[in-house]
Amino acid sequence: QADRNKAAEAAFNARKMLPLVYIATDRLPQARDAVQQLLSRYAQYEFLPHAIHEIVEGAEPLLKLPQVRQLFHDMVTAQPGDMQVIWLKMGMAIASVHMTDDPSTDAVLQNIIAQHGTDGRAAEALNHIAWACRNLKQYNKALTIYQYAVDNWPEKDRVAFAQHGIVICQLGLGNPQEADAALDVLLQKFGKDKNLSKMVLWAANGYSDAGEVQRASKVFELVVQSYPDTPEAVDAQSALAITSVQ
């Protein structure tokens, strides 16, 4: 019954929920089939790694993290040469992060680096693992992963997001000057990235959340001045008014 223009998005959102329904009710064979269909039908979809990430995060309140990690592991073991195993390995690592299983997280990270280092999607996989660490305030670990992606894969797709992650991690660690330096690198090295206006706005919000109001104000001003015709400029102008009051 979805609007025709949104039908594809609605189908994707429904399909990424199916594995969680099956995992919640201990129907792991059906969950495996649902994950496989998600991977095959949306192999080129930009938000596929987000879907895998959300499946793992959705399993946590269900107390099913071990099951989802084992599910992904079994799928990788059954089809090690499949093009989509990089996302399954990413999901295994994210589950291990949430389970505070550092050895397993590190093992999967090393496997991705060793076996998928030439894959254009590798930086995105590491970004999601680092993002999981960051959400749990494991800033040092996230920073290490982000820095690896930037240092070793500067030309890979979406590596600019890793540089943005470095900014946020430095703020989380209470290092605003290092965050400033990382933001400068983001602006200089990734100035042509199509998502830069979003990342700079997110960085400004990061400064604000960290209590760095003056720094946040300067970055919001940067968004307004540098990307005046974007939706981010509108959000930045609104946020600028708030930081001015603060």
Side-chain angles (χ1 to χ4, degrees):
Q1 297 175 355
D3 178 90
R4 179 171 304 208
N5 294 329
K6 297 180 180 179
E9 180 181 354
F12 174 75
N13 289 333
R15 193 169 290 282
K16 74 181 181 183
M17 291 301 296
L18 272 176
L20 275 176
V21 175
Y22 292 131
I23 290 167
T25 51
D26 295 316
R27 290 180 283 176
L28 294 185
Q30 291 92 330
R32 176 174 177 161
D33 290 343
V35 172
Q36 189 59 56
Q37 289 183 34
L38 180 69
L39 293 172
S40 60
R41 286 175 180 261
Y42 297 95
Q44 305 301 322
Y45 194 45
E46 178 182 2
F47 294 106
L48 177 59
H50 292 267
I52 299 298
H53 195 144
E54 289 176 30
I55 290 169
V56 177
E57 288 190 336
E60 184 169 23
L62 299 172
L63 305 180
K64 298 290 187 180
L65 282 173
Q67 288 88 335
V68 75
R69 184 172 70 174
Q70 187 63 46
L71 173 68
F72 290 162
H73 177 272
D74 292 345
M75 293 179 70
V76 171
T77 302
Q79 294 181 301
D82 189 279
M83 288 293 293
Q84 305 305 322
V85 296
I86 188 171
W87 304 132
L88 295 171
K89 292 177 180 179
M90 178 197 79
M92 290 166 55
I94 294 170
S96 295
V97 169
H98 283 272
M99 294 166 68
T100 63
D101 186 348
D102 287 344
S104 294
T105 303
D106 293 342
V108 178
L109 277 168
Q110 292 302 322
N111 180 275
I112 292 174
I113 291 168
Q115 295 194 8
H116 305 278
T118 60
D119 192 318
R121 303 168 295 173
E124 177 75 339
L126 263 64
N127 283 347
H128 274 272
I129 298 167
W131 188 12
C133 295
R134 202 177 88 200
N135 286 340
L136 296 176
K137 300 188 185 305
Q138 299 176 11
Y139 295 116
N140 279 313
K141 192 170 187 67
L143 184 60
T144 300
I145 299 170
Y146 282 134
Q147 196 67 60
Y148 182 92
V150 170
D151 290 344
N152 292 274
W153 300 322
E155 304 301 324
K156 283 198 186 305
D157 189 35
R158 299 176 74 80
V159 75
F161 286 92
Q163 185 63 42
H164 165 265
I166 292 173
V167 178
I168 303 303
C169 287
Q170 292 290 9
L171 289 169
L173 291 168
N175 302 326
Q177 292 182 335
E178 286 82 351
D180 291 346
L183 180 60
D184 286 342
V185 173
L186 177 65
L187 294 169
Q188 293 169 16
K189 289 186 63 176
F190 303 100
K192 295 182 179 180
D193 191 285
K194 65 180 181 179
N195 294 298
L196 189 62
S197 60
K198 294 183 177 67
M199 287 183 277
V200 178
L201 177 63
W202 297 339
N205 288 327
Y207 279 103
S208 183
D209 292 341
E212 295 289 340
V213 178
Q214 290 185 342
R215 283 182 162 90
S217 181
K218 291 180 180 179
V219 182
F220 283 129
E221 287 179 356
L222 175 65
V223 175
V224 172
Q225 294 171 6
S226 300
Y227 316 105
D229 299 323
T230 66
E232 290 74 40
V234 179
D235 293 340
Q237 187 68 60
S238 175
L240 190 57
I242 296 171
T243 56
S244 297
V245 172
Q246 291 174 326

